[in-house]
Amino acid sequence: AYLRFLSTTIQLSFLATAICIALAYPLCYAMVALRPMFASFLFVCVICSFFASYLVRTYAWLLLLQRRGLLNSFLIERGWIEQPLQLVYNMEGTVIGMVHILLPMMVLPLYAAMKSVDGNLVKAALGLGASPSRAFRDVFLPLSLPGLAAGSLLVFILSLGFYLTPAILGGGRIVVWATAIATAAEENPVWGAASALGIILLAGTFGLLYILKRLLRIDSVLRRAG
């Protein structure tokens, strides 16, 4: 059972991190490329999500995605679907809620890294005959990788300890490691099992950081992103 909980936790973390990357990179690139007024508007939209608690945002997604929620009602009224879609109490709904909460954690370091890229380097590549796609691939993308690595690491580590969103949007069907810790703490008055599970999660997180540090030199990446 614990291996299944661990597998679910890692799977959710990878999915949330991958989707955050796919959404945050074009958003941050647009924020850098657009006029300052539009970029500031997008940045404020990202920051505004911090003004609502995790609980409020999670229940908002529950109201939107449940079988009689706003999204299913809208699709049925338009005749696009005949039966309500199962968007909550499963992996899909849990990932949607996690991505909404974690996306700003990816956007902030990535935007800071992109903002620090010297635009003259891209112009120089274009002036030397590179196509726009190659200038982006060979110049802009490598320079933005520190922010991408920092945001990905932050999102993944936060995903490992998520409890509230999987508990509500998963409906008890998506059991993650944090849920197992909470269950053990409620069922065991001496907190032995809960403490052991917490130590395993902590040790696994530090082990992951150590591996990334050795393989990717993540400390220098984070220092450059800062």
Side-chain angles (χ1 to χ4, degrees):
Y2 287 133
L3 290 177
R4 185 171 67 252
F5 300 157
L6 182 61
S7 174
T8 302
T9 303
I10 295 176
Q11 183 180 357
L12 277 173
S13 300
F14 272 115
L15 284 174
T17 304
I19 296 175
C20 282
I21 292 174
L23 295 176
Y25 202 94
L27 174 62
C28 293
Y29 189 79
M31 291 167 63
V32 173
L34 291 175
R35 294 180 179 178
M37 181 179 66
F38 296 107
S40 299
F41 173 75
L42 292 177
F43 190 78
V44 169
C45 291
V46 173
I47 296 298
C48 280
S49 63
F50 286 113
F51 297 137
S53 68
Y54 290 173
L55 184 62
V56 171
R57 284 182 276 174
T58 302
Y59 272 111
W61 278 113
L62 185 62
L63 294 175
L64 287 172
L65 301 178
Q66 61 185 347
R67 292 181 62 85
R68 298 181 181 273
L70 296 178
L71 180 59
N72 275 317
S73 299
F74 175 80
L75 296 177
I76 292 175
E77 288 175 0
R78 296 298 185 276
W80 294 342
I81 59 174
E82 297 181 357
Q83 297 295 329
L85 301 175
Q86 185 65 33
L87 298 175
V88 291
Y89 307 140
N90 51 22
M91 184 73 74
E92 290 78 8
T94 305
V95 170
I96 290 173
M98 291 177 62
V99 168
H100 178 223
I101 293 173
L102 294 171
L103 185 60
M105 308 298 180
M106 177 71 72
V107 169
L108 295 179
L110 183 56
Y111 175 71
M114 287 187 178
K115 194 70 175 177
S116 64
V117 175
D118 189 355
N120 292 325
L121 297 176
V122 178
K123 294 179 181 178
L126 295 173
L128 292 173
S131 62
S133 60
R134 185 172 182 181
F136 172 81
R137 185 184 69 245
D138 294 343
V139 178
F140 189 87
L141 180 60
L143 294 175
S144 65
L145 286 181
L148 185 62
S152 300
L153 184 61
L154 183 61
V155 169
F156 186 80
I157 290 178
L158 290 175
S159 300
L160 291 176
F162 252 55
Y163 167 73
L164 189 61
T165 303
I168 296 176
L169 295 180
R173 301 177 184 178
I174 305 299
V175 181
V176 295
W177 199 258
T179 307
I181 295 175
T183 302
E186 294 172 357
E187 295 179 355
N188 193 340
V190 296
W191 291 61
S195 300
L197 293 173
I199 290 173
I200 292 174
L201 179 60
L202 183 63
T205 303
F206 277 116
L208 175 64
L209 287 173
Y210 178 77
I211 293 173
L212 291 175
K213 178 180 179 181
R214 294 298 298 265
L215 295 180
L216 304 177
R217 297 182 179 178
I218 198 68
D219 52 343
S220 61
V221 170
L222 294 176
R223 189 161 53 250
R224 288 175 59 189

